[in-house]
Amino acid sequence: MNRPVPVRIGHSACPHDCPSTCALDVEILDERTIGRVRGSEDMDYTAGVICAKVARYAERIHHPDRLTVPLIRTGPKGSGQFRPVSWDEALDRIAEAFVAATAQHGSEAVWPYYYAGTMGLVQRDGIHRLRHAGRYSNQFDTICTNMAWTGYIAGTGRLAGPDPREMAKSDFVVIWGTNAVATQVNVMTHAIRARKERGAKIAVVDVYRNATMEQADMALLLRPGTDGALACAVMHVLFRDNLADRAYLAQYSDVPAELEAHLATRTPEWAAAITGLSVAEIEAFARAIGTTKRTFLRLGYGFARQRNGVVAMHAAASIATVAGLWPHEGGGAFHNNGAIYHLDKTLIEGADLKDRSIRNLDQSRIGAILTGDAQALRGGPPVTAMLVQNTNPVNVAPEQRLVRQGFAREDLFVAVHEQFMTDTARMADVVLPATMFLEHDDIYRGGGHQFILLGPKLVEAPGEARENHFVHVELARRLGFEHRGFRMSPREHIDWLLSHSGWGTLAELEEKRFIDCQPEFERAHYLDGFGHPDGKFRFKPDWTRVKAPNDGPMGPHGDLPALPDHWAVIEAADEVHPFRLVTPPARSYLNSTFAETPSGRKREGAPAVLMHPDDAARLGLAAGVRVRLGNPRGEVVLALKLFDGVQPGVLVTEGIQPNAAFEGGEGINTLTGADPVAPFGGAAFHDNKVWIRAA
């Protein structure tokens, strides 16, 4: 009798740009083939649950359209005309271009450009070692986190908070500024556990009725960019109704009396006019927080997508201090745990080679940089050579017309290391085939939890696909760069990182699979004081001195409000542009990743915009018609869907579809702006005024 051969299970970690960083169990069918991917039940944050797109990862890793050989362009830029070449020829061509750019304009003319296509610390961050060894232009990362991180740290003094597993021990879970069902499913795992086991209520604050809001007991559907007004009104009610924890405030905050006086006019009526919520909704939300010490505020990256996002995040986090939530298990405000890991990435990044006189170029302003804006170039030479890894800027960066114009320059050499022929790869001179996470060794840390996780190589890559580390090492060899990190394997890097950061060894991590780095309760809940020198939460931060990643003050930083408030710097609707457009993530895509999978494309369909039926009726627009959206940055065409889960005057289009999915080949980021957001820069992807008309 034939018995089925047991399927071998490999263990890994999700590499994608999601705070959940799930621990994974992967079916290994043979040396090149995987089967199902499941969430590991052994790791209690993942708790056996992962998103549908990663569960179907076999569909992506074995996709017939994967790049498997190096390519060199033979036709016009963007034509998709390439010829296969050897790795040696491709790498030689890149090295020659970097040498030529350096000889003509200096080393800063070369710009290695990267981001979060993988969150692995070796494969993602090793590009900096190449950058610093060549004295190439630095990249200031602004496209995702700046406003949210800065706003949170402004109050707490540290990018860390309560153990996110404590959501399951909460009596009131507030999910604010994140569609967790689509973008970090494990938030829902723990929130729903609290509901089932404790009878906890779930509140969701967002700008449209998404899959997370549909799970809420209390849904607050507000206008985009008005979160700060809601937060201030909540704190007004807490002070007014004697629900503020005055003893806690006296011990743990800087200016509680000044804040209370400031909030005296920030009434629910004031906030209702700004947010579009009713006074009753605001009052009920505030009272629920004020009467529930185990309230857990899970604050997401939606705050990082508005021009006033830093102020809004700070205001929302301030609620936990006014209500005195921090001392309680299942209480407080959590955004990200980045400060708990203390990882020494000196050898991975080549930090010991860094020359601080080399300019920083703003990642979000790639369009302005590549089209020669002197300010964006920081007064330095033009960028004439690039290596792009882990990102797809021609699709995902703001001000897409400028970005495309820059990449079309004949004097710009671009090498793209990719898994698929993305919009950016099509504009390249050299395209290199890249591995996926199960095909190389790496190490990960969670943002939404507190674990370090190992992601070992489990299967062989198809064709000639090579890992990022291989590209860094081989280019360094051709360019004559010396550094110990170029002589180390990824496993050696992981072992050095762990041992020099106080987390043991690779052998120990291989045995344990992940390390729980959660600080003790007192530190996580700031019972030993907040992260400022005096140990107090800052209601009144010195904005340009907040200890968050920055390249100096940017944007209208001089106008930032001194205390929590609604800061009216959003791109407000006007007579010509009467609608506000938000571009949140789609459930089946992660930025531009997964847009190539058949199941994702089938679920998401063609690009569409969601509009309130009352707005459509007023404009004489019917469901399904083609509409054109526009503003001074450009225009796009998509289908209209009627949807009463937005406030009138608000438009929503989900996900970053490939540019080719749109008529004319211009994607949704044609409409988004790259102007730096105060105080430390950032891209306000959900903050756009537009007009709409029948196409």
Side-chain angles (χ1 to χ4, degrees):
M1 180 177 180
N2 293 327
R3 295 183 179 180
V5 178
V7 175
R8 181 168 72 90
I9 302 298
H11 304 295
S12 189
C14 180
H16 290 291
D17 189 11
C18 166
S20 286
T21 317
C22 292
L24 304 178
D25 295 339
V26 184
E27 293 180 350
I28 309 299
L29 305 185
D30 60 43
E31 65 176 7
R32 293 185 177 276
T33 312
I34 70 165
R36 290 278 300 172
V37 179
R38 298 180 176 86
S40 174
E41 295 182 358
D42 297 340
M43 200 263 259
D44 56 4
Y45 184 78
T46 299
V49 179
I50 59 172
C51 66
K53 50 187 173 283
V54 173
R56 296 191 296 266
Y57 215 85
E59 182 182 24
R60 185 167 194 272
I61 197 171
H62 302 309
H63 198 294
D65 293 341
R66 276 195 67 179
L67 296 169
T68 58
V69 295
L71 304 168
I72 284 183
R73 179 170 63 89
T74 59
K77 285 199 172 188
S79 66
Q81 298 174 33
F82 295 90
R83 65 176 174 89
V85 296
S86 68
W87 267 98
D88 281 338
E89 183 177 348
L91 291 167
D92 287 347
R93 178 72 185 90
I94 298 169
E96 290 165 3
F98 283 16
V99 169
T102 299
Q104 183 175 7
H105 296 290
S107 63
E108 290 182 319
V110 180
W111 191 22
Y113 190 89
Y114 85 111
Y115 205 51
T118 176
M119 298 293 280
L121 304 182
V122 176
Q123 305 292 347
R124 181 191 66 187
D125 298 337
I127 196 172
H128 296 307
R129 189 170 61 253
L130 185 71
R131 181 195 312 279
H132 300 326
R135 304 184 77 250
Y136 300 146
S137 285
N138 292 310
Q139 175 178 301
F140 177 46
D141 301 339
T142 56
I143 211 162
C144 182
T145 63
N146 286 42
M147 294 86 89
W149 285 12
T150 303
Y152 187 86
I153 296 169
T156 62
R158 189 169 71 243
L159 187 63
D163 187 333
R165 293 168 294 194
E166 289 182 27
M167 280 183 283
K169 300 177 181 180
S170 178
D171 294 323
F172 190 40
V173 180
V174 178
I175 301 171
W176 194 336
T178 180
N179 181 6
V181 168
T183 62
Q184 42 184 316
V185 67
N186 305 101
V187 168
M188 301 308 300
T189 299
H190 299 286
I192 290 179
R193 181 181 166 192
R195 173 188 277 166
K196 289 180 177 178
E197 295 181 1
R198 303 179 57 82
K201 301 299 183 184
I202 299 174
V204 174
V205 184
D206 216 315
V207 297
Y208 77 118
R209 191 177 66 235
N210 51 41
T212 306
M213 188 171 282
E214 289 174 352
Q215 304 242 12
D217 301 292
M218 183 180 293
L220 292 102
L221 180 68
L222 74 172
R223 294 177 183 135
T226 64
D227 308 76
L230 173 60
C232 287
V234 167
M235 291 186 284
H236 169 95
V237 172
L238 296 178
F239 280 117
R240 183 198 69 193
D241 293 353
N242 202 30
L243 297 172
D245 191 331
R246 297 181 187 279
Y248 180 83
L249 286 165
Q251 182 176 353
Y252 284 99
S253 71
D254 59 344
V255 290
E258 188 175 345
L259 175 68
E260 183 174 6
H262 164 72
L263 294 173
T265 59
R266 272 55 174 177
T267 64
E269 291 77 11
W270 166 84
I274 296 170
T275 63
L277 297 170
S278 69
V279 171
E281 287 176 306
I282 297 169
E283 292 273 6
F285 182 50
R287 188 153 196 85
I289 293 172
T291 58
T292 312
K293 287 298 186 183
R294 289 179 181 243
T295 292
F296 196 106
L297 298 167
R298 183 58 176 87
L299 307 175
Y301 283 95
F303 290 96
R305 309 292 185 258
Q306 301 284 348
R307 287 173 177 81
N308 61 5
V310 64
V311 174
M313 170 62 88
H314 176 245
S318 295
I319 294 171
T321 304
V322 173
L325 307 179
W326 296 101
H328 303 276
E329 186 177 36
F334 179 84
H335 172 60
N336 183 288
N337 249 340
I340 71 173
Y341 295 108
H342 51 80
L343 296 174
D344 186 345
K345 295 193 289 182
T346 299
L347 291 189
I348 291 176
E349 296 186 348
D352 49 333
L353 297 175
K354 185 172 183 178
D355 181 345
R356 298 193 177 276
S357 70
I358 300 295
R359 67 180 175 184
N360 286 323
L361 297 180
D362 186 336
Q363 171 193 28
S364 297
R365 303 202 67 204
I366 183 172
I369 288 164
L370 295 185
T371 53
D373 183 289
Q375 183 181 26
L377 287 165
R378 305 294 295 269
V383 170
T384 60
M386 297 180 70
L387 169 65
V388 180
Q389 288 184 317
N390 314 321
T391 187
N392 182 15
V394 175
N395 182 227
V396 306
E399 295 184 352
Q400 189 180 109
R401 283 188 174 175
L402 276 183
V403 178
R404 290 168 62 91
Q405 181 183 335
F407 272 91
R409 282 171 37 207
E410 287 299 330
D411 67 329
L412 174 66
F413 172 87
V414 177
V416 174
H417 189 201
E418 252 297 354
Q419 298 159 349
F420 294 93
M421 187 58 72
T422 62
D423 290 306
T424 306
R426 288 180 67 87
M427 300 295 291
D429 298 280
V430 175
V431 178
L432 305 174
T435 50
M436 291 189 185
F437 76 105
L438 297 173
E439 300 161 351
H440 56 237
D441 294 306
D442 217 333
I443 187 171
Y444 305 87
R445 65 178 183 185
H449 59 63
Q450 58 285 316
F451 287 92
I452 293 172
L453 306 95
L454 184 65
K457 179 178 178 178
L458 297 178
V459 292
E460 295 296 326
E464 299 177 37
R466 298 289 185 269
E467 64 187 351
N468 290 2
H469 180 71
F470 171 85
V471 174
H472 306 151
V473 168
E474 287 298 312
L475 285 177
R477 182 171 65 83
R478 285 165 170 80
L479 293 163
F481 298 161
E482 285 292 330
H483 186 268
R484 179 182 171 189
F486 292 126
R487 301 191 299 272
M488 296 167 64
S489 70
R491 289 176 59 83
E492 289 170 330
H493 272 293
I494 294 169
D495 191 55
W496 193 96
L497 171 76
L498 290 168
S499 62
H500 285 75
S501 305
W503 296 116
T505 66
L506 172 58
E508 293 168 347
L509 180 56
E510 284 183 304
E511 182 178 351
K512 294 186 289 189
R513 292 171 43 204
F514 34 77
I515 304 168
D516 188 341
C517 305
Q518 180 63 37
E520 65 278 6
F521 183 91
E522 289 74 14
R523 181 162 176 78
H525 285 257
Y526 295 104
L527 299 187
D528 56 356
F530 288 92
H532 298 289
D534 61 0
K536 294 181 181 293
F537 185 94
R538 290 279 186 274
F539 292 128
K540 195 173 186 178
D542 184 344
W543 281 112
T544 59
R545 295 181 180 273
V546 175
K547 292 183 178 180
N550 70 86
D551 190 34
M554 296 182 180
H557 57 87
D559 299 329
L560 281 155
L563 292 161
D565 214 339
H566 169 65
W567 190 30
V569 294
I570 54 177
E571 195 169 89
D574 56 35
E575 187 175 347
V576 177
H577 310 89
F579 289 91
R580 296 259 296 146
L581 172 68
V582 179
T583 61
R587 188 167 184 175
S588 299
Y589 301 155
L590 202 167
N591 298 319
S592 66
T593 305
F594 296 97
E596 67 284 329
T597 57
S599 61
R601 288 184 174 184
K602 181 179 179 181
R603 187 186 187 282
E604 299 302 331
V609 60
L610 308 179
M611 176 185 244
H612 196 282
D614 291 350
D615 286 330
R618 179 171 51 82
L619 296 177
L621 298 173
V625 302
R626 292 165 56 251
V627 292
R628 188 179 300 274
L629 274 64
N631 62 21
R633 293 181 281 268
E635 302 174 12
V636 299
V637 177
L638 21 62
L640 179 67
K641 289 185 178 180
L642 303 187
F643 180 60
D644 64 1
V646 293
Q647 290 206 22
V650 176
L651 304 175
V652 172
T653 178
E654 292 184 311
I656 304 179
Q657 300 256 16
N659 295 346
F662 291 79
E663 291 186 30
E666 292 192 294
I668 196 63
N669 281 313
T670 301
L671 303 175
T672 57
D675 49 299
V677 175
F680 297 142
F685 285 102
H686 299 177
D687 189 352
N688 312 286
K689 63 181 182 182
V690 296
W691 49 256
I692 184 171
R693 61 180 69 116

